[in-house]
Amino acid sequence: MQMISKGRILISLVMLAGSAGLSAQTPDPLGPTGRWSANEAGSAALPPMGWNSWNAFFTQIDEEKLLGAANKIVESGLSRKGYRYVNIDDGWALKRRTTDSKLLIRDDKFPSTRNRSGTPSFRPLTDRIHAMGLKAGIYSDLGRNTCSQAYATGGEQLPQGTVAEREVGLYGHVDQDIRLFFADWGFDAIKIDGCGIRAFSPDEEIVRSGRFRALKPLIDQASVTRSDVPAVRELFADINRALGRYSPDSDYMLSLCIWGSANVRAWGKDVGNISRTSDDISANWSRMLTNYDSAVRRAFYAHPGSWNDPDMLFIGTGDFDENHIIEARSHFALWSMMNAPLLIGTDLRKTPQALIDIFGNAELIAVNQDPAGNQAVVAFDSDALQILVKTLANGEKAVALFNRGMAPVDAVLTSDHLKFSGTREVTLRDLWTGEVSRFLKEAKLHVEPRQTLVFRASGTRQLASGLYLSEQPGRVNPADDGTVNPLPDPTIYRSVPGWRGTRGMGERPIYAGWGGAMPDATPYNQPLVVAGKPYPAGVGVLANSRIEVRNEGFARFSADVGVDDSAEDGGQPVQFFLYGDGKPLANTPPLRRGEPARPLSADIRGISIVEMVARAPDAKGNAVPVTWGGAALLR
Ligand code: GLA
């Protein structure tokens, strides 16, 4: 099931002198490509901001509600602060006309779509939204049917007509529908769900009863190995190509919504602008934690153009309403730190000012929209308190202390957490209160239950001459993260699943692990240690991996590399290679567990893409984590 990275090349034995086992002309899965393979198409250099209809209205969306949100975004000043997408989720489609396969809109809910031709068009509505200085988004599904059709419990605004007419999803209609949405109707964004390729197997009651046509599931949400990963990926790649055709200015935003299934955590970044990492959020503290956990350790999987999406904000309701300002602020601060899309999900027409003020916190928006595009990294981790640190474009850090639990925590924030020097003063500015404080070496901070303290920190950087890779995850892309057995992610707190409640067996904890690349930790979230020597900064990744690093103006790459002490199979030799724009720069001899880390460095002046490759030709499974200790780009 290992994902095949783009651009495999042929590699000759000469290039690999000293490494084991590849014969001339063998396609080399880890061969350098000299290019950045994460998605850059579309318009998402910064995390998208806006509003989506789903959390507030589910399928009961109409024009009045939508324009109510758009008006409020403008009147409240939120549009000036960056909120610009107004996205219609599930519930807009009436049917697919059988004569020409054209999608028809529920014009009873969207009266402005009516016209003399008799075929409704969203163009007047998108024109209106554009005239307000905003952008418009639409919704569809990879399969023939959408999620609300699969999981309807009554009262939903569902497509009508025959089985064929109710097939409003993209399956078999990608070119026609994308053209309709973007070229004809003028939308700027699309969210694409996956229920159509998951919930319509021949044995499902909704299919057996004759209400829907069967489509063999490509996704099994409970099991990566029972999902057809290449097929799912190709469906999205096909849509991405169609967007290129019908949105030639590339002003589109493609939102993948397959809830972390089919190993999308590893490849969503290659085909979409935002990619959901979990099932749906709800207005419930523990569900928010589940969604947060699904994205917080994936900083290397988020870059300008391709962001992790832990789902829309649920501020406005339940545990995040105006009686729960602490929780609402935490939700917003965490999403800001993770570079999550800031998509408001509440009925803005009725939202109290106290919550509008949370959405409008310019300091946190600036953290989320910082041009460097670095998702926060977990600097201290526990199930009670976490400290997240995000390196900003100007060298400052945003830091959040998040109390997940029910008891207050007296936390200590150290200059080490911030990778700042301990001998120089650090200044903290509280992003909720504006209060400024200073500390030397460490600060004691009291964090109330469910509170998130969040600051902008300035100080003297520990690495004065450059940046650790873990301080610039937005420029580090695990093109192939070496995972052979893409197991579920063990670090997710599993609450009662929102959609299903306590029906079935639940989302059962699995004490195994995915093994994706990690900043300042091994792939299994342990400290980086080689031959007893700890590396507080670095990249942890499995062997047989290839990581792309963008270089903008640095002169040297430097790291100490070796097999991490946590390796299960310490007998495996691992060889480390560096490439610059596709050409070999440096490499190590084969190294085994227990051998001290070796320095690996190279001159990278004038090089745009550095590739870090760790090869262990005989390693089996996910057993060999390697450490790029202190990996940094230096001036
Ligand atoms: C799925 C998605 C939600 C929403 C609904 C619509 O559950 O995850 O965000 O789009 O479908 O039916």
Side-chain angles (χ1 to χ4, degrees):
M1 290 306 278
Q2 185 174 4
M3 287 312 307
I4 293 170
S5 47
K6 291 178 193 167
R8 288 175 178 234
I9 61 155
L10 296 181
I11 191 163
S12 75
L13 263 180
V14 186
M15 271 174 73
L16 272 175
S19 81
L22 288 175
S23 65
Q25 302 303 307
T26 304
D28 177 10
L30 300 174
T33 65
R35 48 183 290 276
W36 178 259
S37 59
N39 179 58
E40 293 178 275
S43 171
L46 298 170
M49 296 172 66
W51 181 88
N52 174 295
S53 56
W54 183 253
N55 291 354
F57 302 117
F58 299 100
T59 57
Q60 315 289 332
I61 180 60
D62 62 36
E63 191 165 319
E64 201 188 315
K65 292 169 178 162
L66 192 82
L67 288 172
N71 283 328
K72 189 65 184 275
I73 287 175
V74 174
E75 279 162 23
S76 63
L78 289 177
S79 59
R80 280 196 308 281
K81 292 179 166 168
Y83 291 88
R84 49 189 193 135
Y85 287 102
V86 179
N87 296 344
I88 307 174
D89 208 285
D90 206 351
W92 64 268
L94 179 67
K95 62 175 62 160
R96 189 180 287 284
R97 188 160 65 194
T98 38
T99 47
D100 58 358
S101 298
K102 185 150 185 156
L103 286 170
L104 301 185
I105 302 162
R106 276 182 166 273
D107 59 4
D108 57 330
K109 301 291 173 190
F110 295 92
S112 77
T113 65
R114 290 191 193 128
N115 57 48
R116 286 212 199 99
S117 78
T119 304
S121 165
F122 268 124
R123 183 55 92 160
L125 186 60
T126 60
D127 281 350
R128 191 151 165 200
I129 291 171
H130 290 149
M132 299 168 83
L134 303 174
K135 290 180 174 288
I138 189 80
Y139 166 96
S140 191
D141 196 286
L142 287 174
R144 297 191 186 108
N145 300 98
T146 70
C147 289
S148 59
Q149 292 180 290
Y151 299 109
T153 53
E156 285 88 350
Q157 226 166 266
L158 297 178
Q160 294 170 2
T162 63
V163 169
E165 284 173 327
R166 284 184 284 107
E167 292 182 349
V168 297
L170 284 171
Y171 200 80
H173 299 281
V174 168
D175 189 83
Q176 181 182 14
D177 290 0
I178 295 293
R179 178 185 188 146
L180 178 70
F181 298 151
F182 286 82
D184 299 350
W185 288 350
F187 281 102
D188 312 289
I190 185 163
K191 170 174 171 181
I192 299 179
D193 236 323
C195 295
I197 57 162
R198 149 184 162 198
F200 294 88
S201 99
D203 341 313
E204 294 288 345
E205 197 277 325
I206 51 174
V207 173
R208 281 188 287 118
S209 63
R211 278 182 287 150
F212 294 97
R213 185 150 51 130
L215 187 59
K216 185 172 172 275
L218 298 174
I219 289 176
D220 180 330
Q221 228 188 324
S223 162
V224 179
T225 42
R226 289 198 297 260
S227 300
D228 187 342
V229 177
V232 180
R233 185 181 164 136
E234 180 47 31
L235 289 176
F236 279 125
D238 187 33
I239 290 163
N240 206 329
R241 289 191 292 268
L243 285 165
R245 288 196 293 280
Y246 297 117
S247 199
D249 54 357
S250 207
D251 189 7
Y252 65 82
M253 200 274 287
L254 171 58
S255 157
L256 316 189
C257 184
I258 56 168
W259 332 279
S261 69
N263 208 28
V264 71
R265 59 197 169 189
W267 55 264
K269 63 183 174 58
D270 300 335
V271 291
N273 295 120
I274 62 177
S275 177
R276 281 275 297 275
T277 50
S278 64
D279 207 336
D280 297 4
I281 192 168
S282 58
N284 169 288
W285 180 257
S286 56
R287 189 70 210 174
M288 187 280 289
L289 287 180
T290 304
N291 286 45
Y292 159 81
D293 281 348
S294 71
V296 72
R297 292 182 185 84
R298 299 193 187 164
F300 282 143
Y301 296 80
H303 319 97
S306 57
W307 308 104
N308 290 316
D309 176 8
D311 205 358
M312 289 139 341
L313 298 164
F314 230 122
I315 294 166
T317 323
D319 285 352
F320 309 103
D321 69 6
E322 73 267 40
N323 301 316
H324 296 85
I325 292 292
I326 289 184
E327 287 83 351
R329 284 181 165 190
S330 280
H331 185 3
F332 193 71
L334 296 170
W335 263 234
S336 298
M337 291 291 288
M338 290 193 293
N339 287 5
L342 297 179
L343 292 172
I344 298 170
T346 194
D347 185 353
L348 277 173
R349 299 170 305 176
K350 301 182 187 147
T351 305
Q353 189 59 38
L355 298 181
I356 298 282
D357 290 345
I358 293 180
F359 296 130
N361 181 318
E363 294 275 18
L364 279 166
I365 293 172
V367 165
N368 177 265
Q369 300 284 299
D370 182 76
N374 296 317
Q375 178 174 325
V377 164
V378 182
F380 173 85
D381 205 354
S382 74
D383 279 336
L385 187 101
Q386 289 171 316
I387 300 178
L388 310 184
V389 177
K390 179 181 196 312
T391 303
L392 304 171
N394 70 354
E396 290 182 325
K397 307 274 179 166
V399 54
L401 289 88
F402 173 37
N403 183 352
R404 306 165 60 105
M406 296 304 289
V409 176
D410 285 311
V412 175
L413 173 70
T414 69
S415 41
D416 282 345
H417 287 141
L418 299 163
K419 295 192 167 64
F420 281 163
S421 158
T423 60
R424 309 287 278 277
E425 198 172 64
V426 176
T427 305
L428 294 179
R429 187 154 46 80
D430 187 309
L431 299 187
W432 292 114
T433 65
E435 211 173 289
V436 174
S437 58
R438 295 189 171 76
F439 73 87
L440 191 66
K441 224 171 161 61
E442 50 181 61
K444 289 207 169 64
L445 295 163
H446 182 80
V447 199
E448 292 293 343
R450 297 184 170 181
Q451 189 181 24
T452 303
L453 301 179
V454 58
F455 307 95
R456 199 176 253 261
S458 50
T460 306
R461 298 171 29 72
Q462 272 171 7
L463 188 67
S465 59
L467 273 182
Y468 290 116
L469 296 188
S470 56
E471 291 180 290
Q472 47 179 328
R475 291 183 182 167
V476 178
N477 176 36
D480 184 337
D481 60 25
T483 51
V484 179
N485 310 317
L487 298 168
D489 194 322
T491 52
I492 292 175
Y493 171 61
R494 289 170 166 88
S495 58
V496 176
W499 274 116
R500 292 193 294 280
T502 51
R503 289 182 205 90
M505 293 171 70
E507 291 177 348
R508 297 154 65 93
I510 296 167
Y511 302 102
W514 169 33
M518 295 272 277
D520 300 341
T522 72
Y524 301 109
N525 205 26
Q526 299 306 300
L528 299 170
V529 185
V530 179
K533 184 172 173 195
Y535 288 91
V539 177
V541 67
L542 293 173
N544 292 321
S545 52
R546 180 175 67 84
I547 298 176
E548 299 159 354
V549 183
R550 270 188 204 285
N551 173 34
E552 280 154 25
F554 289 100
R556 271 203 96 60
F557 174 99
S558 153
D560 289 338
V561 299
V563 175
D564 195 88
D565 287 4
S566 64
E568 271 169 45
D569 188 347
Q572 292 303 323
V574 180
Q575 207 175 355
F576 296 78
F577 297 82
L578 276 185
Y579 301 91
D581 290 338
K583 301 200 178 64
L585 294 177
N587 62 278
T588 68
L591 302 170
R592 288 182 173 74
R593 187 182 65 198
E595 286 183 54
R598 292 273 185 133
L600 182 61
S601 73
D603 187 333
I604 55 165
R605 273 174 292 191
I607 282 170
S608 353
I609 301 290
V610 176
E611 285 165 89
M612 305 155 54
V613 174
R615 299 175 187 274
D618 301 322
K620 300 275 175 303
N622 290 2
V624 189
V626 301
T627 287
W628 296 78
L633 302 186
L634 306 175
R635 294 208 171 78

